Amino acid sequence: MKIDLLERRLAAQQAGKTTVLVTDLKTGAQMLLGEGIALGDLALGNEERAAINRAAIEDRSQTIDSARGTLFVEVWSPPLRLIVVGAVHIAQTLARMAVATGYDVTIIDPRSAFASEERFPGVTLATDWPDEVLPALKPDKRTAIVTLTHDPKIDDPALQAALRSDAFYIGALGSRRTHGKRGERLAAAGFDAGAFARIHGPVGLDIGALTPGEIAVSILAQITATLRRDRIKAKEDKAA
């Protein structure tokens, strides 16, 4: 990989952005693509760009056969992260499943009795207030944030910090009535309807979940559907 492309790729990764390096395996010509990035000496046609875009959506490195020969498409994405506010029973199951799915998990709860290593082995714990922790974590487009305490004193500051971030998913536990009141409080804090619409509330897919484990399943399923919505849409468009 050429040094100028490597430097740009590393800068994009530091900024939480996905990049794709395309290499012509016959000539060695390369092109680095990403948000606001198109660098290199490899000219690409429309069909090749469409295939490269599909690889980026699938978040999977792969080879592509084109008229010029074989292209290797290497996708580099920042790590997936899940930040959970509230060290409750739902969070225990959700954290385990998220780790198994490939997320780096952070649990935030100022109630240190709940946010303990015994209850959450192997994940990062933070016992400061979420509006203090979240800005330092710099949630990006590969970060999901879920609030689970059902306590406005903890959840509301976390949601305000989440809405100021680039997180691809924001979810909040609570009934529709609770979520409506949450919207009123956020509006009073200066957030408009567009910002409030980013919050999935009640959190999780509607699968009739009752137990903490089932609710955790519904939350991770909704996070996955949000993360992969471009891929889902591409499949639907192809089927149509």
Side-chain angles (χ1 to χ4, degrees), residues 179-193:
H179 196 56
K181 291 184 176 181
R182 179 182 293 131
E184 294 173 1
R185 294 193 301 272
L186 288 171
F191 292 90
D192 60 19

Side-chain angles (χ1 to χ4, degrees), residues 73-92:
V73 180
E74 192 169 5
V75 181
W76 282 308
S77 295
L80 288 167
R81 292 188 292 164
L82 172 62
I83 301 172
V84 180
V85 177
V88 296
H89 291 312
I90 296 170
Q92 289 179 283

Side-chain angles (χ1 to χ4, degrees), residues 114-189:
F114 294 113
S116 65
E117 177 66 26
E118 292 75 20
R119 300 184 72 232
F120 294 93
V123 303
T124 301
L125 300 174
T127 54
D128 292 322
W129 287 87
D131 53 328
E132 298 172 352
V133 179
L134 278 168
L137 293 176
K138 298 180 180 179
D140 55 28
K141 293 179 180 179
R142 300 270 292 175
T143 305
I145 301 172
V146 179
T147 65
L148 297 176
T149 72
H150 218 284
D151 182 346
K153 296 192 300 297
I154 300 175
D155 284 354
D156 283 8
L159 290 171
Q160 291 181 30
L163 289 172
R164 296 188 186 101
S165 78
D166 291 329
F168 77 86
Y169 177 92
I170 304 172
L173 183 69
S175 66
R176 295 187 186 280
R177 181 169 176 270
T178 297
H179 196 56
K181 291 184 176 181
R182 179 182 293 131
E184 294 173 1
R185 294 193 301 272
L186 288 171

